[in-house]
Amino acid sequence: MEPRKWPRRNDAASIAARRDAIRAVVGDEPLAHDDEAWTRAQEAHTGVAAIPVSVVGPLTLELGAYELQEPAGTLRETGRAHEDVLVPLAHTEGGLSASMARGMKAAAAGGGFRTYVAQDRMTRASCFICKTTEDALLLARWLEGSLDDLRAFLAGLDDPSLSKRAKLREVKTHVVGPMCHVLWAWTTGDACGPNMMTRNSYALNMGYVMQNAPVQPERSILEANMGGDKKPSYEFFQSGHGKTVLAEVTLEPETVRRVLRTSVDDLIDLSWAGTHGAVASGMQSVAFTPASAIAAVFGATGQDLGMIGTSSMAHGTARRVEGGLNVSIRLPGLEVATVGGGTTLPYARSWLELLGCSGAGKVYRFAQIVAAATLALEISASAAMATAGSSEFFRAHHERGGLR
Amino acid sequence: MEPRKWPRRNDAASIAARRDAIRAVVGDEPLAHDDEAWTRAQEAHTGVAAIPVSVVGPLTLELGAYELQEPAGTLRETGRAHEDVLVPLAHTEGGLSASMARGMKAAAAGGGFRTYVAQDRMTRASCFICKTTEDALLLARWLEGSLDDLRAFLAGLDDPSLSKRAKLREVKTHVVGPMCHVLWAWTTGDACGPNMMTRNSYALNMGYVMQNAPVQPERSILEANMGGDKKPSYEFFQSGHGKTVLAEVTLEPETVRRVLRTSVDDLIDLSWAGTHGAVASGMQSVAFTPASAIAAVFGATGQDLGMIGTSSMAHGTARRVEGGLNVSIRLPGLEVATVGGGTTLPYARSWLELLGCSGAGKVYRFAQIVAAATLALEISASAAMATAGSSEFFRAHHERGGLR
Amino acid sequence: MEPRKWPRRNDAASIAARRDAIRAVVGDEPLAHDDEAWTRAQEAHTGVAAIPVSVVGPLTLELGAYELQEPAGTLRETGRAHEDVLVPLAHTEGGLSASMARGMKAAAAGGGFRTYVAQDRMTRASCFICKTTEDALLLARWLEGSLDDLRAFLAGLDDPSLSKRAKLREVKTHVVGPMCHVLWAWTTGDACGPNMMTRNSYALNMGYVMQNAPVQPERSILEANMGGDKKPSYEFFQSGHGKTVLAEVTLEPETVRRVLRTSVDDLIDLSWAGTHGAVASGMQSVAFTPASAIAAVFGATGQDLGMIGTSSMAHGTARRVEGGLNVSIRLPGLEVATVGGGTTLPYARSWLELLGCSGAGKVYRFAQIVAAATLALEISASAAMATAGSSEFFRAHHERGGLR
Amino acid sequence: MEPRKWPRRNDAASIAARRDAIRAVVGDEPLAHDDEAWTRAQEAHTGVAAIPVSVVGPLTLELGAYELQEPAGTLRETGRAHEDVLVPLAHTEGGLSASMARGMKAAAAGGGFRTYVAQDRMTRASCFICKTTEDALLLARWLEGSLDDLRAFLAGLDDPSLSKRAKLREVKTHVVGPMCHVLWAWTTGDACGPNMMTRNSYALNMGYVMQNAPVQPERSILEANMGGDKKPSYEFFQSGHGKTVLAEVTLEPETVRRVLRTSVDDLIDLSWAGTHGAVASGMQSVAFTPASAIAAVFGATGQDLGMIGTSSMAHGTARRVEGGLNVSIRLPGLEVATVGGGTTLPYARSWLELLGCSGAGKVYRFAQIVAAATLALEISASAAMATAGSSEFFRAHHERGGLR
């Protein structure tokens, strides 16, 4: 086929044309899984990718139930429950599944993980370019005082393209020169919500601000990086995005020795050196390999893979306590969903079902399971780094003819 | 099944046991794709995840051919070629495929993308904890002067677990207190290489440094965050990791208007506000949505999904030039492979074939295609943000009964 | 004198003893300026340092008058005035005074600077280490809901060491693992206020939190770096510290040519390259040399020289507008005083008088003058960098026998 | 006087005119210290500022002697010596002098500080804007291969305005889009060197690069923020600027208790919380109050006060070791001088003499004393924060009628 005429649509003829054009190169297999759902998920749909999924567990955790309080959108914990969960991991990294399972085992020996959702927010970072800094400051002050009016405006719009599920919670401004950056902060229910809040933010920008502002901005820009849309930022490392989740567990010294084959002392030293290494290298996160865990769960459960980087922002700690070693992780920006987007597709929905996280009312549960699974891998991967330290070990192996 | 007895191995009985245990919940579909290859990729293998793949194009680009120069490991460009490529994208984000295709079209009108690989490095960040700062400084000075000896040591090891393809290129030290952090910098051929360089680095740490150092470190830690192993860092944003790739294109004003439905002025203003927004929010990258493009190509081609965040570090620019608007992107840490790991699996290998990037000798080509595809999406997504600015547009749509 | 017996007190005999011990080395001059005030400012007082002060001007600006609104501590602008001010600069950097004067001249031609105080806060970042993450989250939620009680507690303390001028405005928490970091945010009137808010924060920590918290913290730490006490941080780059001040001016093209000897195009390109250079180098601030201006004013006026680094955090912009080039600077953390500390001393008070900024009710005025003077230097120093670009210039000078 | 006619020159009449114009406001005192030296230090010289100076000590340290190795400019340690030094501190912060003295005492009990200079570099960050990314890459490659030619060019210039003392050591490039950023890295002897390296860098830019480059840049910009000229950056936090100095000491438990009135456990916990607080707040440095110490020494000794912020970048550590607590600080960018600039002036030279650091051959000594004094304050200030934790202490004081 002449590439210049590459068909873009998802009608049957176009799909077939694309498949015919590439079948000789890619073979039948990736073109064989027809499902009407695929064509609703993307334009120019042509085939599928398959990634192997391991199932590891049990992940033992005590997790919270939460509800949003109106109108501020703060979270209230309504209960806590103990559970054992099996976790699906889509990845091709040898050792990852076994390592996470080891971490789960070590945690379970100490009573399991305890997880908490501290906050829920989804944010669009718009920007109004004004004539002067003075105008930008006036606009900012007006915006910060208009939260009720902005909510009323949205409530009054009878526009089916807008989302009623996306609720405006806060307006935060930041003025630099003639720019008035605005963070529109929403909750989006069990959906991840980028599209719904984008449409609503656009309505606010064009339908309210550009019409009613006390100074007329020269430009309205829908997204201008004051937040962290698929790019890690300090703004969201600190103030959070999606679900801000914390997980912790206290590891008993005997478990550290027997299951993790290292010691509390070793892990404390590793944490110390790793934290200072992160500082020295200008690494925002302080952690070991949270992205490996998060990517594997995201890949299995239909999450947005483009949000793996931001969702993997992590701040881990380790502290010697009376009963052993308290370890924790804070994931400030876990952008997850249990409804909408990729979660509605085959495979993804199945794996969410395995977690008991498919559909409405499940997103805080899901976020906490992801955090606990991430901490499980952190524990085990750290232990592997910490114990890779014995020169006797190396010499013994080397003299036997090779590292194995 | 009793979760405490969850089987971990990949023998047929264990796989079957896991499947039987979850079949009632997940259904048959995700458990139906047997392939011996899956079990080599992960422990506790149980099923698959499938992600729809679109194919968009043509991506018109002029790319370089490169060879590594010995022993420094710098890249030499040996030729350049024009090509049209079809790009597979695994994702579920509505609009992404169409938007990237639009960016490709706009770039093609200006002669296509031009791409360059500036550097190739894979790094393990070890750390030696010494008794004192003085010892750490002595160790650092010795390490920096030992590059030839370290290479000779590795060459002399007859250990099948070590990789001859991972070649040590540089040793960089950083002393903070009694810690001597060491960046072991390797090239790893067409593989991504984390495992091979990890084993080799371990051999250096335990077999050479701990045996021969002029001062005896108290501890050797294999990885301590001085680099950026699956976590973005300034170290790698600047000095690079994996492949450091640049892509650029000059967009003609008429193309900007006709294809992107915006103007050079709009895009310049957007770039200005977006760059200052990034600064204000403490965002390391300056770009729009590189992670969306990189995740979609990674998902289709068997790359490590845990490396999406680091590979998406990006520094984009836009500048008015005589012929229109020069736009570029620098991806300092593109961690990609065309051999090994997930690239050897079904589906992934097929989609790599579509790109002409399967197997040895293809990794620089692949890196450049990823960079060009990323810039294509940047162009189109930016244009969408820049044009979302007309109040007439909003009013017209709203009066017609809704935003569509 | 035997160094081991070095006297530490400020009685006359000790001062004399120290002077006698070093007179042979340092000479009479630095030991000759007796003033009782010196001994109130520091322990082990011995002599003085003198720094030359230039006076440049006029600095033409339009500045705002502000009042704090109770109880939130937000600023309300109550008026604006035009003024011409002479600025004292303590420094030894050849060219600095002349360059700032040139910037003032360029700005005056465009009507002068316009300045704004956006916020006023002084913050102590305490930390409570709890037994668990759960406890830390409980403590955080309790603290965020206790603002009124905390204020009442302070109001009820009859302790002369506490400051009534330091008013608690906000409580912000940040939980990482078992740590509950707390930002106690105060206004401190016309004083800079570190000591008064430290004492008050200590009273809150020990007298209220440790007594009344719903969970008992293991430790209370008065300062633990969640803010930015004399160290630049993103927290304060964004949310502000001391006075958050903005200054702007629009430079006419003719002025740029005649006074600054460059062009709007040159300055736009410089700003573009300098902003991207800052991003590439991991520089938090985007500006040219704000610290030079701020240090010179601080040195003359008795400000805390240890706060020069934090006060110099800066975000500058340049944008082509209808009348020429709009340039601005945002100083998020200008830590200044017109009462207390070094401002009460001879010399310092005199130079503050020159600015009309000595004593109560002057701190917002002073902050705005500092910001305008800083922007004046930014403009001129940028112009010098932008015009240092002509190869003809270099050749001409070189052929004449030297760069002058 | 009419401000519009404010005289700018340093002839006697202009100085007198300025003094007469402001005498009624500022009084006689700040205008009374005539010295011909002042007028060489700044334009528009008018008066002086005086800052009280305390002298504290003894600072007990073991410091290194260093020489630069040609041509690479690396440092070789040629000896080490023990010394007791008295330190002059210009500041007005109550408690600072006493606190630093306490830290000195605690360190001396453990044998004193040990200090090391790891590197010496002064850098100008120029930028060449090219037509395309391709050109910028070509230019970068050419520049990195031209070090010898660049040195030969400078050596061949017979231009009295250029400095022979500023020696070019490295050329580092960084390409982003069409920008080729260049770090010209120099050593500048005992001078701080910004002016000499600026003139030399300008000569390289205009006299060599713009004449000989294989591609013609569109613009040459002398400084474009790729480094960290008076603004903290990760580039210099990591790779260093001015003198990179490390200091350490091991504190005995008994000393910690008796002199610092806290415990090793308390200090370890404080360091842990303070490090994680720094990470959470996006603070580049990890330390307590290095700027206070550095500003006080800079103010007394004629250093550039505008460099206090960059010179205060600091990375501190604390680690429990056999003999007690090892504490250290790394100052990556200490920009100090013992010749030139403000060091040649009265007062400043006297206080440098007290340190044995006036004139040629003293700059490494001076840098190490500054680092040790900084660590002394860190130790004592940390101890004050760590011990401010007893609720009994608070209650006892409060019941007695007030905190004292």
Side-chain angles (χ1 to χ4, degrees), chain D residues 26-97:
Chain D
V26 304
D28 287 328
E29 195 176 39
L31 308 177
H33 302 265
D34 271 320
D35 193 307
E36 187 219 15
W38 302 140
T39 62
R40 291 196 313 263
Q42 58 179 193
E43 307 83 38
H45 171 67
T46 307
V48 302
I51 304 176
V53 172
S54 66
V55 176
V56 299
L59 174 69
T60 302
L61 78 167
E62 179 208 290
L63 39 65
Y66 296 90
E67 64 177 25
L68 278 170
Q69 295 179 283
E70 296 300 331
T74 47
L75 287 171
R76 196 172 72 85
E77 192 173 272
T78 58
R80 297 192 64 77
H82 285 81
E83 293 207 33
D84 280 349
V85 180
L86 293 172
V87 180
L89 303 171
H91 71 92
T92 60
E93 184 182 351
L96 193 163
S97 295

Side-chain angles (χ1 to χ4, degrees), chain B residues 141-164:
Chain B
R141 184 106 338 161
W142 176 76
L143 281 168
E144 299 219 330
S146 298
L147 183 54
D148 290 342
D149 293 338
L150 290 158
R151 284 173 174 158
F153 166 76
L154 284 173
L157 282 181
D158 181 27
D159 183 334
S161 78
L162 297 182
S163 165
K164 296 298 178 190

Side-chain angles (χ1 to χ4, degrees), chain D residues 281-345:
Chain D
S281 67
M283 187 181 287
Q284 181 180 61
S285 289
V286 170
F288 277 83
T289 189
S292 295
I294 286 166
V297 180
F298 273 36
T301 59
Q303 309 301 310
D304 187 336
L305 302 183
M307 293 177 171
I308 288 171
T310 40
S311 294
S312 300
M313 292 188 297
H315 191 163
T317 67
R319 177 171 153 83
R320 194 190 307 270
V321 295
E322 223 180 85
L325 184 74
N326 179 275
V327 295
S328 80
I329 200 159
R330 179 179 187 265
L331 299 176
L334 199 50
E335 296 157 322
V336 288
T338 58
V339 305
T343 71
T344 63
L345 299 178

Side-chain angles (χ1 to χ4, degrees), chain A residues 75 133 141 235 238 248, chain C residues 75 133 141 235 238 248:
Chain A
L75 287 171
T133 300
R141 184 101 345 158
E235 171 63 32
Q238 198 182 98
E248 74 172 331
Chain C
L75 288 171
T133 300
R141 183 104 340 161
E235 172 63 33
Q238 198 180 100
E248 74 172 328

Side-chain angles (χ1 to χ4, degrees), chain B residues 212-247:
Chain B
N212 300 305
V215 294
Q216 184 61 28
E218 294 195 345
R219 282 182 186 280
S220 160
I221 294 173
L222 188 46
E223 170 61 45
N225 283 344
M226 185 66 211
D229 190 23
K230 303 198 183 176
K231 286 132 341 194
S233 72
Y234 261 102
E235 172 63 31
F236 288 165
F237 184 69
Q238 197 181 99
S239 72
H241 204 231
K243 281 42 173 168
T244 301
V245 193
L246 296 97

Side-chain angles (χ1 to χ4, degrees), chain A residues 56 88 212 294 302 316 345:
Chain A
V56 300
N212 300 307
I294 286 165
L345 298 179

Side-chain angles (χ1 to χ4, degrees), chain B residues 307-391:
Chain B
M307 292 177 171
I308 287 172
T310 40
S311 293
S312 299
M313 292 188 295
H315 191 163
T317 68
R319 178 171 152 83
R320 194 190 306 272
V321 295
E322 226 180 83
L325 184 75
N326 179 275
V327 295
S328 80
I329 199 158
R330 178 179 188 267
L331 300 176
L334 199 51
E335 295 157 321
V336 287
T338 57
V339 305
T343 71
T344 62
L345 299 178
Y347 299 86
R349 179 152 298 272
S350 293
W351 295 120
L352 278 172
E353 292 282 3
L354 179 63
L355 292 164
C357 291
S358 175
K362 300 293 191 184
V363 75
Y364 298 130
R365 171 189 171 85
F366 181 51
Q368 291 174 85
I369 290 172
V370 175
T374 302
L375 184 51
L377 182 61
E378 289 290 284
I379 289 168
S380 179
S382 298
M385 291 297 155
T387 46
S390 150
S391 54

Side-chain angles (χ1 to χ4, degrees), chain A residues 93-363:
Chain A
E93 185 182 349
L96 193 162
S97 295
S99 189
M100 188 189 286
R102 185 173 73 146
M104 290 175 178
K105 185 176 171 190
F113 295 100
R114 296 182 300 279
T115 58
Y116 311 90
V117 184
Q119 192 184 257
D120 184 4
R121 283 292 181 277
M122 204 65 189
T123 307
R124 181 56 64 201
S126 297
C127 180
F128 298 93
I129 304 181
C130 299
K131 283 192 178 58
T132 61
T133 300
E134 180 167 33
D135 278 5
L137 285 165
L138 283 170
L139 181 61
R141 184 101 345 158
W142 175 77
L143 282 168
E144 299 217 331
S146 299
L147 182 55
D148 289 342
D149 293 337
L150 290 157
R151 285 174 174 158
F153 167 76
L154 284 174
L157 281 182
D158 180 27
D159 184 334
S161 78
L162 296 182
S163 166
K164 297 295 178 193
R165 259 191 300 166
K167 295 188 183 172
L168 184 64
R169 301 299 185 175
E170 288 155 337
V171 178
K172 178 181 166 181
T173 62
H174 186 91
V175 173
V176 185
M179 287 168 274
C180 177
H181 291 275
V182 183
L183 286 172
W184 302 117
W186 312 82
T187 56
T188 55
D190 293 282
C192 184
N195 290 338
M196 63 174 83
M197 70 148 183
T198 297
R199 286 192 301 266
N200 286 19
S201 297
Y202 180 72
L204 290 178
N205 290 351
M206 304 312 301
Y208 192 84
V209 181
M210 294 298 275
Q211 312 297 331
N212 300 307
V215 295
Q216 183 61 30
E218 293 195 344
R219 283 182 185 281
S220 160
I221 294 174
L222 188 47
E223 169 61 45
N225 283 343
M226 186 67 211
D229 190 23
K230 302 196 183 178
K231 287 136 335 199
S233 72
Y234 262 102
E235 171 63 32
F236 288 165
F237 183 69
Q238 198 182 98
S239 72
H241 204 232
K243 280 44 172 169
T244 301
V245 192
L246 295 98
E248 74 172 331
V249 69
T250 296
L251 301 170
E252 296 161 354
E254 171 61 17
T255 303
V256 172
R257 197 189 59 72
R258 193 175 43 80
V259 179
L260 301 175
R261 303 200 175 284
T262 181
S263 71
V264 170
D265 280 356
D266 287 349
L267 290 172
I268 288 277
D269 262 7
L270 176 76
S271 176
W272 179 75
T275 302
H276 283 291
V279 169
S281 66
M283 187 181 286
Q284 181 179 64
S285 288
V286 170
F288 276 83
T289 189
S292 295
I294 286 165
V297 180
F298 274 36
T301 58
Q303 308 301 309
D304 187 335
L305 302 184
M307 293 178 171
I308 288 172
T310 40
S311 293
S312 300
M313 293 190 294
H315 191 162
T317 67
R319 176 170 153 84
R320 193 190 308 272
V321 294
E322 223 179 86
L325 185 74
N326 177 274
V327 295
S328 80
I329 199 158
R330 180 180 188 266
L331 300 176
L334 199 51
E335 295 156 323
V336 288
T338 58
V339 306
T343 70
T344 62
L345 298 179
Y347 299 86
R349 179 153 296 273
S350 293
W351 295 120
L352 279 172
E353 293 282 3
L354 179 62
L355 292 164
C357 292
S358 177
K362 301 293 191 185
V363 75

